[in-house]
Amino acid sequence: MCVKGLRGRNKEAELARIRGLDTRHGRIRLPNFLPDATRGTIRNVPSHWLHEAGVEVLMTNAYHLAERPGADAIGSMGGLHEFMGFDRPIATDSGGFQLWSLARERRGKVNDKGFVTTPSKGNRRVYTPERAMQAQLKLGSDIAFCLDECTHPKDALEVQERSVKRTVRWAKQCKQVLERRAPEDRPLLYGVIQGGQSEALRRQCVEQMVDIGFDGYGFGGVPFDQGGQHLVDEVYLVAELLPPDKPRHALGVGRPDSVLAAWRAGWHTFDSVAPTREARRGLIYVPLVDLDDPHEVYHSDHVFEYLDASSPKAWRDRTPIDETCPCPLCQNYSRGYLAHLFRTEDPVAGTLATLHNLTFLHRLVATLRRIEDRISTPQGPETEAPLPLADGG
């Protein structure tokens, strides 16, 4: 995803408008990255260690948690925060993407009422917008996402049209369920914008969702094409169409360069399994710029590259991944030692690599917040001059 160019958007005015999001479990500083704790955990990393990596908010998956151990079970144990031992804000994705994946694999189907799946034990399950919201209420999340029908960018136009109609209809139903609860006893609710690569459908979906009214909005659908390239035009378009005073979440965006690009486009929060999944596979984020320098980050197209811990090149390397990184891996161990842990299939390898990749994302979004501070601060005799806005190549 290209990070240059703001397509005429008044970025300076926007940055001054949304700097944080208040939830029942504290304020979320914006921008921010939400690691995906899909099933109530980030693999290899206990919840109480996440603070050390700078994690301020998590994304979990309502569908998976409702399946196992069950929303009722988690609710009886005090909700997600007590269940996971995480006292900061938690968001719940409705599970629309996962259900869409099951339908494409012919392990489920979708109709106007919702999704019908057949889990491994063979019991038929119906997952409707109402059930999706009831599950999220029992889980006790701080931000809930409406159930949506995901699509692939290459799906036919009629598939995209049907997706938008269902997504809007389901969003209305989700909001109706939430409005039965007292305001202090319900999460923030985000509507999801579908429409694939059709500008007309994206516009239509935005208009209808805004008419319904939500606390925030998410970019829906697979955010990349078959070649792995992010849908730059769609990401920018949807951000421009949404209300400037509402937070915007880029679902499925998580690699560092993509986070930087989506932030430039006007998105505030991001989530993805990529940083933690890649870490477990030995793909480690190495900075190409000083992550703590606003100027370098702001004027860079690419801020990272991968170190493949399985590469023979790393086996005898005595240097840390990144001398400037405060994570346990970089502060205590060499690249060679990490490579050894992966070669011997020691689970500690995944733990250290995951903490590093999450720390990388935390440092990046922290620097983006500093950039916003400087852009929105009037220049005075005792203040640092605001960063110029990038425009073009």
Side-chain angles (χ1 to χ4, degrees):
M1 181 187 284
C2 176
V3 301
K4 295 294 186 183
L6 296 174
R7 295 185 58 181
R9 187 178 185 88
N10 188 343
K11 187 75 174 181
E12 204 162 339
E14 179 192 314
L15 295 178
R17 188 172 288 118
I18 305 179
R19 307 306 302 280
L21 182 61
D22 292 318
T23 76
R24 293 182 295 180
H25 284 85
R27 185 171 176 82
I28 301 172
R29 295 184 293 173
L30 302 179
N32 221 315
F33 174 74
L34 288 63
D36 278 12
T38 302
R39 300 177 186 271
T41 181
I42 291 180
R43 293 183 184 181
N44 299 110
V45 179
S47 296
H48 66 279
W49 286 3
L50 295 174
H51 296 351
E52 298 179 17
V55 175
E56 300 180 1
V57 52
L58 291 174
M59 175 71 80
T60 60
N61 189 281
Y63 170 73
H64 283 306
L65 291 171
E67 286 292 308
R68 189 173 57 180
D72 286 329
I74 293 176
S76 69
M77 288 185 271
L80 276 174
H81 296 84
E82 290 191 32
F83 182 64
M84 295 177 59
F86 188 79
D87 61 0
R88 298 181 180 184
I90 297 175
T92 44
D93 188 343
S94 68
F97 177 85
Q98 287 71 28
L99 289 159
W100 166 77
S101 298
L102 290 175
R104 289 179 73 91
E105 295 169 6
R106 300 184 184 278
R107 290 191 289 159
K109 60 182 181 179
V110 58
N111 56 40
D112 288 344
K113 293 183 178 180
F115 291 89
V116 180
T117 62
T118 306
S120 55
K121 293 184 179 180
N123 298 322
R124 184 172 176 269
R125 305 282 181 85
V126 180
Y127 196 69
T128 64
E130 183 171 3
R131 290 187 177 181
M133 286 310 307
Q134 289 173 343
Q136 293 183 77
L137 289 170
K138 292 173 182 176
L139 294 173
S141 58
D142 300 285
I143 300 173
F145 281 79
C146 294
L147 184 65
D148 63 303
E149 183 185 3
C150 184
T151 62
H152 192 277
K154 299 301 182 183
D155 283 342
L157 182 60
E158 57 266 26
V159 174
Q160 307 288 2
E161 291 173 341
R162 186 172 63 240
S163 164
V164 169
K165 289 179 181 178
R166 285 175 175 165
T167 295
V168 171
R169 184 186 305 119
W170 294 352
K172 291 179 182 178
Q173 296 172 13
C174 287
K175 186 174 181 180
Q176 288 169 358
V177 173
L178 205 66
E179 288 178 334
R180 299 172 196 163
R181 303 283 288 263
E184 67 275 7
D185 192 31
R186 63 193 189 203
L188 300 175
L189 183 62
Y190 279 39
V192 180
I193 308 301
Q194 292 291 351
Q197 292 182 280
S198 168
E199 179 174 333
L201 286 176
R202 289 285 184 180
R203 287 181 180 275
Q204 175 186 327
C205 194
V206 168
E207 290 172 1
Q208 294 178 345
M209 286 291 191
V210 171
D211 284 343
I212 299 171
F214 293 96
D215 299 303
Y217 298 88
F219 182 88
V222 179
F224 48 84
D225 62 21
Q226 290 178 329
Q229 297 299 311
H230 277 79
L231 305 182
V232 177
D233 289 340
E234 291 76 10
V235 169
Y236 273 91
L237 172 69
V238 175
E240 290 176 345
L241 294 174
L242 287 169
D245 60 340
K246 295 290 186 179
R248 297 180 288 280
H249 181 84
L251 290 154
V253 174
R255 292 186 178 92
D257 287 351
S258 298
V259 167
L260 177 60
W263 170 78
R264 286 191 184 279
W267 296 87
H268 302 106
T269 49
F270 324 88
D271 82 281
S272 173
V273 299
T276 52
R277 178 181 291 170
E278 291 178 337
R280 296 193 302 272
R281 295 174 177 174
L283 296 175
I284 318 301
Y285 296 164
V286 180
L288 294 175
V289 300
D290 181 352
L291 285 179
D292 301 315
D293 187 321
H295 275 285
E296 284 198 32
V297 170
Y298 195 84
H299 294 289
S300 297
D301 284 317
H302 305 288
V303 294
F304 88 111
E305 63 183 0
Y306 289 107
L307 168 71
D308 185 350
S310 67
S311 168
K313 193 173 167 183
W315 294 350
R316 295 181 181 274
D317 194 333
R318 299 174 60 184
T319 63
I321 301 295
D322 174 15
E323 293 180 352
T324 68
C325 178
C327 82
L329 171 60
C330 293
Q331 290 298 305
N332 296 285
Y333 306 106
S334 67
R335 299 182 181 201
Y337 184 66
L338 179 66
H340 164 69
L341 293 177
F342 273 108
R343 290 175 72 191
T344 57
E345 299 183 355
D346 193 304
V348 173
T351 300
L352 291 173
T354 298
L355 288 172
H356 169 79
N357 280 5
L358 290 180
T359 300
F360 189 109
L361 266 300
H362 164 68
R363 295 173 67 196
L364 175 60
V365 296
T367 297
L368 295 182
R369 288 194 290 268
R370 290 200 297 275
I371 292 172
E372 293 189 0
D373 288 340
R374 292 172 59 178
I375 290 175
S376 61
T377 301
Q379 186 175 356
E382 297 181 0
T383 61
E384 199 166 6
L387 289 164
L389 296 179
D391 189 11

